[in-house]
Amino acid sequence: MKYVSSIGWKFAVVLTLSSLPVAGQTSPSTATPDAPRAASVTNSASPANVAAQSAVPSKSAAPAQTLPQQIAAMPRLVNPGIDTTAQGKAMLEHLNDVLRFYRASTTQIQKVGEPSDALYGEQASQHAAQIGQTAFQSARNLAALFNRLQPGSTASGGAQSTQPTDDTDNDNTQPQEPTTAQRLTAARARVQARIADLAAQDAVLDKQISTAKGKNLAALQQRDEQLEGQLELQKAMLDAMTRLSSMADAQTATGLAGDVERLLRAAPELASSSKSVTAPPVLESLSTVRESGVSTQAIALFQLLGARRDIESRIHELDVLKKQANDLRAPIRSLLRSTIQQGDAAMQSPANLSDAEALRATRKHYDALSSTFRVLSTATLPSSQEVLLLESARANLVSWRTVVNAEYVTLLRSLLLRVVSIALSLLVLFLVSGVWQRLTAKYVRDIRRRRQILIIRRTVLGFLTGVVLIFGFVTQFSSLATFAGFITAGIAVGLQTILLSVAAYFFIVGRYGVRVGDRITVAGVTGDVIEVGLVRFYMSELTGTGTELHPTGRVAVFANSVLFQSGTPLYKQMPGTEYAWHELTVKLKADADYRAATDAILNAVTTTYNTYRASIEAQHQNVEQWMDAPVEKPGIEPRLQLTDAGLQYAVLFPVEIKNASSTDEAMIHTLLHDMENNEALKNGIAAPPQVKAVVKG
């Protein structure tokens, strides 16, 4: 009998493990409080079955019960040192962490990547939903189990007892008053049974009506109407009880189970087994990002860093959740091990084969252990599923992190390559610019042409540098064009003067423009140009009267846009000419010999002019060659004039600008010398001669 008991116990454990239902799953038939009693009545009435039923609890009703009903029907367990209060707090803390993890899983982690990243994200979201569902199912089961635990005593030096106890045999256990939800459930079961009974009676009555004749037919029809009325009344009662029961189940839950249900209301979608499948978020293609500019690649790189940081944070959260889940199911696993140990201890105890009452007690003990083991293992199944899902979710996130790391390295390599290429391009441009500057300084002797070439160098260098930077940093040129349009409009309005100055610069450096060293007159200011910039030009101010001009020590600054201002003319020498026109004026006496006087005056001017005539004629030839057109040759132009003041003789002659003062002085000395030695000249002049510039500057 000892061997037979061992085989029977091990077979019961294996059968229990192989037939465990899914956590929270109910049987196809609807379970009611009266189901065990009804099942026992409908069993076979053979002597063997009657004997078995007298010794063994009925098992036909077990599949018709839900897991909470099985836990409620299970005998109370002696608490093997389990602190249910601490376990309840740990369970609620675990559910809060699960809810936070579930809510975090609804946010998008990665915004740029490969198509496989969307699959990783979708899988992570599904894992989070499944973890939440199994966590709450496990919490419900554990809450129901903790409710069935009763404090137990631990013997000194002995093992803690987990022997199931029958509520009817435990004198210390006080009967609990049924709750409103339990009373409603019992009432619903009675109404459902009444409806089934009335429906059966109505079916039998319908058959009788179909075959009845004469006076019996009227009585049967009246009876049928009564049954239908009662049936409609019972259905209305059942509908009202059903609605009231759903409200009572949601509001009457107390204790740990009530806290679990209230937490579940924070995520009602976890209460249903089916979860709506949402489309994965659209990711920006990583291949497109690799071909983009530096700015786009840098943004994508920081996004990948953030995604990797979020994934690592979720992996850490999964590790914490896994530890909490293992800690929560550890006491129940201890109960399972204790139940198995009790079965093994029962198998080791000697059995009295001649005592039928002892055999029935032994069988009853084995059945109680088997039922307890079945319920405990089924209740802990969601916890095991949660741990497996946590491990699967962690493996998925670890794989995702590996892929993100590879994408980060690839994108970082592409970004560094683009930055290096931009740096090399800029280095080549600056090297070419340096060579250009050296060659210009070495082979171009003309200062004006050298400055123009250097300005062209700066312009070309700036343009190419801008092109390299734009193509290196900017990706969306369509957006850039729109943005540039608004920027250009704003610049055109706000920087109108500067733009005009830049445009005028190209006129100033043109063929008839201004160069360094030119003497010009602009806005009433005369001076020598010392620098021509892109926006402004500078000149050394000159002052004086007549032919005497000298620097004032001040620098006059004008915007290039002065060329486009009306009423502000700019005067300068024709390119290649460095001479100006002066005029010698002599007032003659009316009664004197004016011919001799004019000849003497013209001779003095001609004598002085001959000293620099070759320079003036050379400048004239250069101007004709530069303009490729004939130009009137400069020379002495005498004129005898009759004015209100009397007879006047004027001689117009060119002078070199740089030697204008010394030329005028030499001419005056020559004329005064002739006046001392020539009586006709001396007697013919009525007033001292005057020398003045025809055009200032």
Side-chain angles (χ1 to χ4, degrees), residues 30 57 86 94-95 117 134 211 230 247 286 328 361 372 385 429 441 444 470 622 631 640 654 662 677 692:
T30 304
H94 175 64
L95 291 180
D117 294 315
T134 54
T211 58
Q230 295 178 7
M247 296 177 59
L286 190 62
L328 287 175
T372 301
Q385 291 176 343
L429 287 178
V444 180
I470 288 175
N622 292 335
V631 180
L640 184 62
S662 60
N677 299 325
K692 63 180 180 179

Side-chain angles (χ1 to χ4, degrees), residues 293-305:
V294 172
S295 57
T296 303
Q297 290 189 9
I299 292 173
L301 195 67
F302 281 108
Q303 288 177 351
L304 287 178
L305 280 175

Side-chain angles (χ1 to χ4, degrees), residues 448 511-512 574-576 621-629:
R448 180 185 179 188
R511 185 176 185 182
Y512 297 99
M574 184 177 294
Q621 292 177 358
N622 292 335
V623 170
E624 286 187 333
Q625 293 177 359
W626 178 73
M627 297 183 61
D628 196 16

Side-chain angles (χ1 to χ4, degrees), residues 670-687:
T670 302
L671 185 59
L672 292 176
H673 181 269
D674 290 343
M675 288 175 61
E676 293 177 357
N677 299 325
N678 191 339
E679 290 295 331
L681 177 60
K682 182 178 180 181
N683 295 329
I685 296 177

Side-chain angles (χ1 to χ4, degrees), residues 332-393:
I332 309 303
R333 293 175 64 183
S334 299
L335 287 177
L336 285 172
R337 286 193 295 268
S338 177
T339 303
I340 295 175
Q341 292 173 1
Q342 291 177 23
D344 293 339
M347 287 186 293
Q348 299 297 330
S349 63
N352 188 0
L353 300 179
S354 60
D355 189 354
E357 193 67 29
L359 290 177
R360 284 194 298 269
T362 302
R363 177 59 185 272
K364 183 178 180 180
H365 180 59
Y366 277 124
D367 289 341
L369 290 176
S370 178
S371 176
T372 301
F373 183 84
R374 182 186 295 110
V375 174
L376 291 177
S377 59
T378 305
T380 57
L381 182 59
S383 299
S384 302
Q385 291 176 343
E386 182 185 0
V387 173
L388 292 177
L389 286 172
L390 289 171
E391 293 176 351
S392 178

Side-chain angles (χ1 to χ4, degrees), residues 103 151 171 226 233 256 322 325 462 486 623 670 676:
R103 292 304 183 193
D171 297 335
Q226 293 177 354
L233 177 60
L256 184 58
K322 181 181 177 182
F486 288 107
V623 170
T670 302
E676 293 177 357

